[in-house]
Structure formats: structure tokens, C-alpha cells
Amino acid sequence: MRIDKMLANLGFGSRKEVKQLLKSGAVKVNDVVVKDAKQQVDPNKETVTLNGEVIEYKEFIYLMMNKPQGVLSATEDSACETVIDLLELEDQVYEPFPVGRLDKDTEGLLLITNDGHLAHRLLSPKKHVPKTYFAVIDREVTEEDVKAFAEGVTLDDGYETKPGELKILKSGIRSDIELTITEGKFHQVKRMFEAVGKSVVYLQRISMGPLALDETLELGEYRELTDEEVELLQDYQVK
């Protein structure tokens, strides 16, 4: 790619600002000063430096966030803070987007990337990628609910859900549960419990396909996926 495009993509300024950088002699490719903005460079094979610092270039970025409540799973919003607003500028320059949505008041695992192909595979309704949630339910969750979810429940708009795997962790006036579903209708977990006369008071996504939430991440924190995690997602096939 052109050297000016590479530098601009990495957030080192606009095309105009990058051209000024090049003219100043601050950029080298394989220890040779490059001033021509049109020069082609292969960042995977050649060493590019700016003021002596090696520039790491990558096409795709893969981030795991522990999404907090009150933040939108969107790239931009005029009124509310989004998950992209929580990213450092050095990550924002890759123009990533959240893979799927978590409701504003839902916490937990959110994958953020600029790899559209991977996002499409994970979100495609035909793939049935499982997503597991931890939830606190107002009222006692029973084995009858487990059976109902296993068969699929009818939502308020008449939609019949695909089977869900409901596990009761603690049952009582307030119950703790884990629920695994393979689709992502609007407010689906909440609406599934409403269908059996109960309400969700806390919701957290803990896994998506082969990717589990890193429990060391505080709310609002994120990290890059490891190479192994990226490979797991890329190779993932629904059984």
C-alpha cells in the first residue's frame, strides 16, 4: 500500500499531515528515508520507522470488552456514550465496530473488530452461534421453566424461539441462572423470561461461541484477543 495511506490509517494524521511528516525526513523504510507519499510499502515484509520508532501495522484489530451498563453497543450516537468512545484513540483509528449488540443495561462480553468477514460469520442467523448469559431473575425459576426453554417459548410478538439451555444456579425469591441461546432477537433473554411470567433484574453475557469473558477485565476495560483466541473464532464451526 502507499506509505501515506498506511500512516494515515494508523492515525498519524490526515493525508496532508502525513505528507508533511514524509517531507521532514522522519519516515524510513528499511533504514532508507522516504519522502514520496506515493511510494508503495509492504508493512508485513518491510520495516517502517517514524523518528526511529518501529511502526507496527496490522490490518485487523480484535478486542474483547467487558461492557458496562449505560453504554450503547454502537459506533456513534449523538446523545449517549458508545463502546467505541471507551477505546483508546490508537484503537479507534482502525474504525472497529461491535459484533452484535448488548442492550444498554446489559453487561459483559462484547467483541469489537474491523474484520467484517468474521463478524458476518458470527452474526449470521444460519450459523446459530451460541451465546451464554448469566442473569438474576425476580421470582423462583423452576424445572418447568427449564423444560419450557428447552422446547422454545413464544414471545410477546408471537415469535417462537429456538430451544434454549437454561441452568438454575440458585433458586429462590431471586434466582441465578445461566441461559444459552443461538439467536439474538431484540431483548430476547428478557422477553423469554417474561413469557414464563418472570423478569430479569441483571443480565451479563459471559460467552459467545468459543470466546469466554476474561474475568480479570473490570467493567469498561478491554484487551486485544490473543492469537489463539482469534484462531478459535476464525476456525469456529457450530456443532
Side-chain angles (χ1 to χ4, degrees):
M1 69 174 67
R2 283 172 49 142
I3 187 73
D4 61 343
K5 183 174 189 297
M6 173 188 162
L7 293 170
N9 284 357
L10 289 173
F12 288 107
S14 64
R15 287 286 182 95
K16 185 177 179 182
E17 290 167 335
V18 164
K19 282 178 180 174
Q20 292 300 319
L21 270 179
L22 289 162
K23 283 181 181 177
S24 73
V27 180
K28 292 182 180 180
V29 177
N30 295 335
D31 285 330
V32 177
V33 172
V34 172
K35 294 188 177 184
D36 181 4
K38 296 178 182 177
Q39 178 161 326
Q40 296 289 319
V41 61
D42 183 344
N44 297 313
K45 294 180 180 177
E46 298 176 287
T47 302
V48 181
T49 59
L50 174 62
N51 294 321
E53 295 286 329
V54 176
I55 295 171
E56 297 288 343
Y57 181 81
K58 52 196 171 190
E59 183 178 5
F60 296 120
I61 189 169
Y62 304 92
L63 306 172
M64 176 196 298
M65 177 179 286
N66 186 0
K67 178 195 164 302
Q69 292 186 22
V71 178
L72 292 183
S73 297
T75 53
E76 57 183 335
D77 189 90
S78 58
C80 296
E81 187 176 38
T82 73
V83 292
I84 302 303
D85 294 328
L86 298 181
L87 302 182
E88 299 289 341
L89 285 175
E90 64 195 52
D91 296 318
Q92 289 185 20
V93 297
Y94 287 94
E95 298 183 350
F97 52 86
V99 179
R101 287 181 175 273
L102 283 182
D103 297 341
K104 188 175 180 180
D105 59 353
T106 299
E107 298 177 356
L109 174 65
L110 188 64
L111 176 63
I112 300 174
T113 184
N114 58 349
D115 186 342
H117 179 69
L118 177 67
H120 175 74
R121 284 182 51 230
L122 292 173
L123 295 175
S124 171
K126 297 177 183 177
K127 298 294 184 183
H128 307 307
V129 174
K131 294 169 277 288
T132 300
Y133 296 83
F134 168 79
V136 179
I137 309 301
D138 189 17
R139 293 187 61 190
E140 183 179 4
V141 178
T142 66
E143 289 300 324
E144 283 185 14
D145 298 324
V146 173
K147 291 175 185 173
F149 278 41
E151 294 171 1
V153 297
T154 304
L155 302 184
D156 48 10
D157 59 359
Y159 177 79
E160 182 110 2
T161 69
K162 290 184 170 60
E165 183 184 352
L166 176 60
K167 292 180 182 176
I168 302 172
L169 304 178
K170 184 183 79 176
S171 188
I173 298 173
R174 281 202 167 181
S175 303
D176 294 350
I177 63 93
E178 282 185 8
L179 174 64
T180 301
I181 56 177
T182 57
E183 50 192 349
K185 299 295 179 185
F186 183 68
H187 291 321
Q188 181 163 339
V189 175
K190 296 171 185 174
R191 292 164 69 201
M192 287 179 77
F193 277 99
E194 285 169 3
V196 293
K198 298 173 175 67
S199 60
V200 174
V201 294
Y202 172 79
L203 187 60
Q204 176 196 42
R205 183 158 67 190
I206 56 177
S207 71
M208 179 179 185
L211 193 64
L213 177 64
D214 183 338
E215 294 182 356
T216 66
L217 288 175
E218 298 289 338
L219 286 170
E221 289 186 343
Y222 69 95
R223 66 164 173 81
E224 286 201 55
L225 296 190
T226 64
D227 292 342
E228 291 77 13
E229 287 169 331
V230 173
E231 198 172 322
L232 276 173
L233 286 173
Q234 291 172 336
D235 295 343
Y236 184 64
Q237 299 291 331
V238 179
K239 296 176 183 178

mmCIF file of all heavy atoms in Angstrom, residues 1-36:
data_model
loop_
_atom_site.group_PDB
_atom_site.id
_atom_site.type_symbol
_atom_site.label_atom_id
_atom_site.label_comp_id
_atom_site.label_asym_id
_atom_site.label_seq_id
_atom_site.Cartn_x
_atom_site.Cartn_y
_atom_site.Cartn_z
ATOM 1 N N MET A 1 0.843 -1.189 0.000
ATOM 2 C CA MET A 1 0.000 0.000 0.000
ATOM 3 C C MET A 1 0.885 1.248 0.000
ATOM 4 O O MET A 1 2.080 1.171 0.307
ATOM 5 C CB MET A 1 -0.921 0.006 1.214
ATOM 6 C CG MET A 1 -0.237 0.203 2.545
ATOM 7 S SD MET A 1 -1.408 0.379 3.912
ATOM 8 C CE MET A 1 -2.104 -1.272 3.906
ATOM 9 N N ARG A 2 0.271 2.378 -0.341
ATOM 10 C CA ARG A 2 1.025 3.640 -0.319
ATOM 11 C C ARG A 2 1.426 3.988 1.115
ATOM 12 O O ARG A 2 0.664 3.758 2.055
ATOM 13 C CB ARG A 2 0.169 4.756 -0.898
ATOM 14 C CG ARG A 2 0.082 4.742 -2.409
ATOM 15 C CD ARG A 2 -0.920 5.748 -2.931
ATOM 16 N NE ARG A 2 -0.754 7.092 -2.362
ATOM 17 C CZ ARG A 2 -0.913 8.222 -3.059
ATOM 18 N NH1 ARG A 2 -1.205 8.164 -4.344
ATOM 19 N NH2 ARG A 2 -0.773 9.393 -2.469
ATOM 20 N N ILE A 3 2.625 4.530 1.247
ATOM 21 C CA ILE A 3 3.144 4.864 2.572
ATOM 22 C C ILE A 3 2.269 5.898 3.279
ATOM 23 O O ILE A 3 2.036 5.811 4.487
ATOM 24 C CB ILE A 3 4.612 5.352 2.486
ATOM 25 C CG1 ILE A 3 5.221 5.540 3.885
ATOM 26 C CG2 ILE A 3 4.722 6.634 1.663
ATOM 27 C CD1 ILE A 3 5.542 4.277 4.602
ATOM 28 N N ASP A 4 1.712 6.866 2.526
ATOM 29 C CA ASP A 4 0.868 7.873 3.182
ATOM 30 C C ASP A 4 -0.441 7.273 3.671
ATOM 31 O O ASP A 4 -0.951 7.638 4.728
ATOM 32 C CB ASP A 4 0.630 9.082 2.261
ATOM 33 C CG ASP A 4 -0.096 8.732 0.967
ATOM 34 O OD1 ASP A 4 -0.147 7.528 0.607
ATOM 35 O OD2 ASP A 4 -0.598 9.671 0.307
ATOM 36 N N LYS A 5 -0.977 6.304 2.912
ATOM 37 C CA LYS A 5 -2.227 5.646 3.326
ATOM 38 C C LYS A 5 -2.000 4.817 4.595
ATOM 39 O O LYS A 5 -2.810 4.836 5.525
ATOM 40 C CB LYS A 5 -2.757 4.746 2.206
ATOM 41 C CG LYS A 5 -4.092 4.087 2.527
ATOM 42 C CD LYS A 5 -4.612 3.330 1.321
ATOM 43 C CE LYS A 5 -6.039 2.837 1.544
ATOM 44 N NZ LYS A 5 -6.178 1.882 2.637
ATOM 45 N N MET A 6 -0.882 4.118 4.626
ATOM 46 C CA MET A 6 -0.563 3.312 5.806
ATOM 47 C C MET A 6 -0.463 4.179 7.058
ATOM 48 O O MET A 6 -1.057 3.877 8.093
ATOM 49 C CB MET A 6 0.750 2.567 5.580
ATOM 50 C CG MET A 6 1.253 1.834 6.820
ATOM 51 S SD MET A 6 2.906 1.164 6.590
ATOM 52 C CE MET A 6 3.377 0.892 8.304
ATOM 53 N N LEU A 7 0.272 5.288 6.954
ATOM 54 C CA LEU A 7 0.457 6.166 8.111
ATOM 55 C C LEU A 7 -0.852 6.828 8.528
ATOM 56 O O LEU A 7 -1.144 6.956 9.726
ATOM 57 C CB LEU A 7 1.516 7.223 7.805
ATOM 58 C CG LEU A 7 2.947 6.685 7.628
ATOM 59 C CD1 LEU A 7 3.862 7.769 7.085
ATOM 60 C CD2 LEU A 7 3.487 6.130 8.936
ATOM 61 N N ALA A 8 -1.661 7.226 7.560
ATOM 62 C CA ALA A 8 -2.954 7.839 7.871
ATOM 63 C C ALA A 8 -3.879 6.832 8.538
ATOM 64 O O ALA A 8 -4.587 7.151 9.499
ATOM 65 C CB ALA A 8 -3.585 8.404 6.603
ATOM 66 N N ASN A 9 -3.873 5.573 8.035
ATOM 67 C CA ASN A 9 -4.706 4.518 8.618
ATOM 68 C C ASN A 9 -4.349 4.252 10.073
ATOM 69 O O ASN A 9 -5.201 3.868 10.878
ATOM 70 C CB ASN A 9 -4.560 3.218 7.829
ATOM 71 C CG ASN A 9 -5.307 3.242 6.507
ATOM 72 O OD1 ASN A 9 -5.983 4.218 6.203
ATOM 73 N ND2 ASN A 9 -5.167 2.187 5.726
ATOM 74 N N LEU A 10 -3.083 4.457 10.404
ATOM 75 C CA LEU A 10 -2.623 4.192 11.768
ATOM 76 C C LEU A 10 -2.802 5.391 12.691
ATOM 77 O O LEU A 10 -2.414 5.354 13.853
ATOM 78 C CB LEU A 10 -1.149 3.768 11.749
ATOM 79 C CG LEU A 10 -0.885 2.373 11.167
ATOM 80 C CD1 LEU A 10 0.603 2.123 11.028
ATOM 81 C CD2 LEU A 10 -1.513 1.303 12.049
ATOM 82 N N GLY A 11 -3.391 6.467 12.144
ATOM 83 C CA GLY A 11 -3.709 7.607 12.998
ATOM 84 C C GLY A 11 -2.595 8.616 13.178
ATOM 85 O O GLY A 11 -2.617 9.417 14.117
ATOM 86 N N PHE A 12 -1.621 8.618 12.264
ATOM 87 C CA PHE A 12 -0.523 9.577 12.386
ATOM 88 C C PHE A 12 -0.853 10.920 11.739
ATOM 89 O O PHE A 12 0.029 11.744 11.535
ATOM 90 C CB PHE A 12 0.761 8.994 11.779
ATOM 91 C CG PHE A 12 1.351 7.892 12.627
ATOM 92 C CD1 PHE A 12 1.272 6.570 12.230
ATOM 93 C CD2 PHE A 12 1.971 8.180 13.833
ATOM 94 C CE1 PHE A 12 1.807 5.562 13.008
ATOM 95 C CE2 PHE A 12 2.514 7.176 14.617
ATOM 96 C CZ PHE A 12 2.426 5.858 14.207
ATOM 97 N N GLY A 13 -2.122 11.121 11.426
ATOM 98 C CA GLY A 13 -2.552 12.400 10.871
ATOM 99 C C GLY A 13 -3.331 12.228 9.591
ATOM 100 O O GLY A 13 -3.502 11.115 9.093
ATOM 101 N N SER A 14 -3.825 13.344 9.075
ATOM 102 C CA SER A 14 -4.520 13.325 7.786
ATOM 103 C C SER A 14 -3.498 13.067 6.683
ATOM 104 O O SER A 14 -2.283 13.089 6.929
ATOM 105 C CB SER A 14 -5.207 14.671 7.548
ATOM 106 O OG SER A 14 -4.222 15.693 7.452
ATOM 107 N N ARG A 15 -3.983 12.839 5.463
ATOM 108 C CA ARG A 15 -3.057 12.644 4.344
ATOM 109 C C ARG A 15 -2.117 13.851 4.226
ATOM 110 O O ARG A 15 -0.923 13.698 3.980
ATOM 111 C CB ARG A 15 -3.829 12.442 3.043
ATOM 112 C CG ARG A 15 -4.519 11.092 2.887
ATOM 113 C CD ARG A 15 -3.507 9.996 2.600
ATOM 114 N NE ARG A 15 -4.159 8.717 2.401
ATOM 115 C CZ ARG A 15 -4.489 8.230 1.216
ATOM 116 N NH1 ARG A 15 -4.233 8.918 0.121
ATOM 117 N NH2 ARG A 15 -5.056 7.050 1.116
ATOM 118 N N LYS A 16 -2.668 15.052 4.415
ATOM 119 C CA LYS A 16 -1.866 16.270 4.303
ATOM 120 C C LYS A 16 -0.792 16.311 5.395
ATOM 121 O O LYS A 16 0.385 16.618 5.127
ATOM 122 C CB LYS A 16 -2.780 17.494 4.407
ATOM 123 C CG LYS A 16 -2.068 18.820 4.188
ATOM 124 C CD LYS A 16 -3.058 19.975 4.247
ATOM 125 C CE LYS A 16 -2.342 21.317 4.043
ATOM 126 N NZ LYS A 16 -3.291 22.453 4.134
ATOM 127 N N GLU A 17 -1.185 15.976 6.635
ATOM 128 C CA GLU A 17 -0.232 15.983 7.745
ATOM 129 C C GLU A 17 0.841 14.913 7.566
ATOM 130 O O GLU A 17 2.016 15.122 7.889
ATOM 131 C CB GLU A 17 -0.987 15.767 9.068
ATOM 132 C CG GLU A 17 -1.851 16.959 9.468
ATOM 133 C CD GLU A 17 -2.821 16.630 10.585
ATOM 134 O OE1 GLU A 17 -3.187 15.443 10.749
ATOM 135 O OE2 GLU A 17 -3.222 17.555 11.294
ATOM 136 N N VAL A 18 0.427 13.767 7.029
ATOM 137 C CA VAL A 18 1.379 12.683 6.793
ATOM 138 C C VAL A 18 2.402 13.091 5.738
ATOM 139 O O VAL A 18 3.595 12.774 5.843
ATOM 140 C CB VAL A 18 0.622 11.399 6.378
ATOM 141 C CG1 VAL A 18 1.563 10.387 5.750
ATOM 142 C CG2 VAL A 18 -0.084 10.787 7.594
ATOM 143 N N LYS A 19 1.960 13.818 4.720
ATOM 144 C CA LYS A 19 2.887 14.287 3.681
ATOM 145 C C LYS A 19 3.942 15.211 4.281
ATOM 146 O O LYS A 19 5.111 15.176 3.884
ATOM 147 C CB LYS A 19 2.113 14.995 2.563
ATOM 148 C CG LYS A 19 1.426 14.026 1.613
ATOM 149 C CD LYS A 19 0.620 14.729 0.539
ATOM 150 C CE LYS A 19 -0.042 13.699 -0.365
ATOM 151 N NZ LYS A 19 -0.961 14.317 -1.335
ATOM 152 N N GLN A 20 3.541 16.030 5.248
ATOM 153 C CA GLN A 20 4.500 16.905 5.930
ATOM 154 C C GLN A 20 5.522 16.077 6.716
ATOM 155 O O GLN A 20 6.706 16.400 6.736
ATOM 156 C CB GLN A 20 3.761 17.870 6.867
ATOM 157 C CG GLN A 20 2.904 18.913 6.153
ATOM 158 C CD GLN A 20 3.718 19.799 5.226
ATOM 159 O OE1 GLN A 20 4.831 20.207 5.564
ATOM 160 N NE2 GLN A 20 3.178 20.074 4.050
ATOM 161 N N LEU A 21 5.031 15.004 7.362
ATOM 162 C CA LEU A 21 5.930 14.104 8.085
ATOM 163 C C LEU A 21 6.975 13.515 7.140
ATOM 164 O O LEU A 21 8.168 13.459 7.452
ATOM 165 C CB LEU A 21 5.136 12.950 8.718
ATOM 166 C CG LEU A 21 4.581 13.117 10.129
ATOM 167 C CD1 LEU A 21 3.822 11.860 10.528
ATOM 168 C CD2 LEU A 21 5.704 13.374 11.128
ATOM 169 N N LEU A 22 6.485 13.063 5.973
ATOM 170 C CA LEU A 22 7.384 12.459 4.991
ATOM 171 C C LEU A 22 8.416 13.477 4.491
ATOM 172 O O LEU A 22 9.611 13.178 4.395
ATOM 173 C CB LEU A 22 6.578 11.899 3.813
ATOM 174 C CG LEU A 22 5.746 10.642 4.138
ATOM 175 C CD1 LEU A 22 4.669 10.422 3.096
ATOM 176 C CD2 LEU A 22 6.649 9.411 4.229
ATOM 177 N N LYS A 23 7.958 14.687 4.205
ATOM 178 C CA LYS A 23 8.865 15.735 3.708
ATOM 179 C C LYS A 23 9.957 16.063 4.724
ATOM 180 O O LYS A 23 11.073 16.441 4.361
ATOM 181 C CB LYS A 23 8.076 17.005 3.372
ATOM 182 C CG LYS A 23 7.328 16.929 2.056
ATOM 183 C CD LYS A 23 6.603 18.240 1.790
ATOM 184 C CE LYS A 23 5.825 18.177 0.480
ATOM 185 N NZ LYS A 23 5.046 19.418 0.247
ATOM 186 N N SER A 24 9.620 15.908 6.019
ATOM 187 C CA SER A 24 10.592 16.247 7.071
ATOM 188 C C SER A 24 11.696 15.198 7.205
ATOM 189 O O SER A 24 12.666 15.403 7.941
ATOM 190 C CB SER A 24 9.871 16.388 8.412
ATOM 191 O OG SER A 24 9.485 15.116 8.919
ATOM 192 N N GLY A 25 11.515 14.067 6.516
ATOM 193 C CA GLY A 25 12.533 13.002 6.589
ATOM 194 C C GLY A 25 12.404 12.125 7.814
ATOM 195 O O GLY A 25 13.339 11.379 8.145
ATOM 196 N N ALA A 26 11.255 12.184 8.489
ATOM 197 C CA ALA A 26 11.081 11.429 9.738
ATOM 198 C C ALA A 26 10.760 9.960 9.496
ATOM 199 O O ALA A 26 10.844 9.141 10.417
ATOM 200 C CB ALA A 26 9.969 12.061 10.585
ATOM 201 N N VAL A 27 10.389 9.627 8.256
ATOM 202 C CA VAL A 27 9.940 8.259 7.960
ATOM 203 C C VAL A 27 11.005 7.517 7.161
ATOM 204 O O VAL A 27 11.536 8.038 6.169
ATOM 205 C CB VAL A 27 8.612 8.276 7.173
ATOM 206 C CG1 VAL A 27 8.157 6.846 6.868
ATOM 207 C CG2 VAL A 27 7.528 9.023 7.953
ATOM 208 N N LYS A 28 11.303 6.308 7.623
ATOM 209 C CA LYS A 28 12.250 5.459 6.900
ATOM 210 C C LYS A 28 11.632 4.096 6.621
ATOM 211 O O LYS A 28 10.845 3.589 7.430
ATOM 212 C CB LYS A 28 13.536 5.253 7.715
ATOM 213 C CG LYS A 28 14.398 6.493 7.879
ATOM 214 C CD LYS A 28 15.669 6.158 8.656
ATOM 215 C CE LYS A 28 16.556 7.387 8.825
ATOM 216 N NZ LYS A 28 17.793 7.060 9.592
ATOM 217 N N VAL A 29 11.998 3.511 5.482
ATOM 218 C CA VAL A 29 11.624 2.139 5.149
ATOM 219 C C VAL A 29 12.923 1.370 4.957
ATOM 220 O O VAL A 29 13.737 1.719 4.091
ATOM 221 C CB VAL A 29 10.760 2.068 3.881
ATOM 222 C CG1 VAL A 29 10.447 0.611 3.530
ATOM 223 C CG2 VAL A 29 9.458 2.843 4.070
ATOM 224 N N ASN A 30 13.113 0.353 5.802
ATOM 225 C CA ASN A 30 14.371 -0.408 5.791
ATOM 226 C C ASN A 30 15.580 0.521 5.907
ATOM 227 O O ASN A 30 16.563 0.397 5.160
ATOM 228 C CB ASN A 30 14.474 -1.282 4.544
ATOM 229 C CG ASN A 30 13.408 -2.368 4.518
ATOM 230 O OD1 ASN A 30 12.899 -2.783 5.559
ATOM 231 N ND2 ASN A 30 13.059 -2.832 3.322
ATOM 232 N N ASP A 31 15.469 1.490 6.826
ATOM 233 C CA ASP A 31 16.559 2.434 7.134
ATOM 234 C C ASP A 31 16.861 3.441 6.019
ATOM 235 O O ASP A 31 17.868 4.137 6.067
ATOM 236 C CB ASP A 31 17.856 1.691 7.501
ATOM 237 C CG ASP A 31 17.788 1.099 8.902
ATOM 238 O OD1 ASP A 31 17.084 1.684 9.756
ATOM 239 O OD2 ASP A 31 18.414 0.056 9.134
ATOM 240 N N VAL A 32 15.985 3.516 5.022
ATOM 241 C CA VAL A 32 16.149 4.490 3.940
ATOM 242 C C VAL A 32 15.048 5.538 4.061
ATOM 243 O O VAL A 32 13.863 5.193 4.129
ATOM 244 C CB VAL A 32 16.086 3.811 2.557
ATOM 245 C CG1 VAL A 32 16.195 4.860 1.440
ATOM 246 C CG2 VAL A 32 17.185 2.770 2.426
ATOM 247 N N VAL A 33 15.415 6.817 4.111
ATOM 248 C CA VAL A 33 14.430 7.892 4.232
ATOM 249 C C VAL A 33 13.493 7.883 3.019
ATOM 250 O O VAL A 33 13.933 7.767 1.875
ATOM 251 C CB VAL A 33 15.118 9.270 4.334
ATOM 252 C CG1 VAL A 33 14.080 10.401 4.266
ATOM 253 C CG2 VAL A 33 15.905 9.368 5.635
ATOM 254 N N VAL A 34 12.188 7.968 3.300
ATOM 255 C CA VAL A 34 11.180 8.010 2.233
ATOM 256 C C VAL A 34 10.427 9.333 2.326
ATOM 257 O O VAL A 34 9.868 9.652 3.378
ATOM 258 C CB VAL A 34 10.191 6.823 2.359
ATOM 259 C CG1 VAL A 34 9.047 6.980 1.369
ATOM 260 C CG2 VAL A 34 10.903 5.506 2.144
ATOM 261 N N LYS A 35 10.444 10.091 1.225
ATOM 262 C CA LYS A 35 9.728 11.366 1.204
ATOM 263 C C LYS A 35 8.570 11.373 0.217
ATOM 264 O O LYS A 35 7.723 12.267 0.267
ATOM 265 C CB LYS A 35 10.702 12.499 0.861
ATOM 266 C CG LYS A 35 11.765 12.726 1.936
ATOM 267 C CD LYS A 35 12.589 13.970 1.660
ATOM 268 C CE LYS A 35 13.584 14.218 2.790
ATOM 269 N NZ LYS A 35 14.347 15.474 2.593
ATOM 270 N N ASP A 36 8.519 10.363 -0.650
ATOM 271 C CA ASP A 36 7.474 10.279 -1.666
ATOM 272 C C ASP A 36 6.226 9.612 -1.079
ATOM 273 O O ASP A 36 6.253 8.427 -0.726
ATOM 274 C CB ASP A 36 7.973 9.482 -2.869
ATOM 275 C CG ASP A 36 6.937 9.380 -3.985
ATOM 276 O OD1 ASP A 36 5.859 9.990 -3.854
ATOM 277 O OD2 ASP A 36 7.210 8.683 -4.980
#
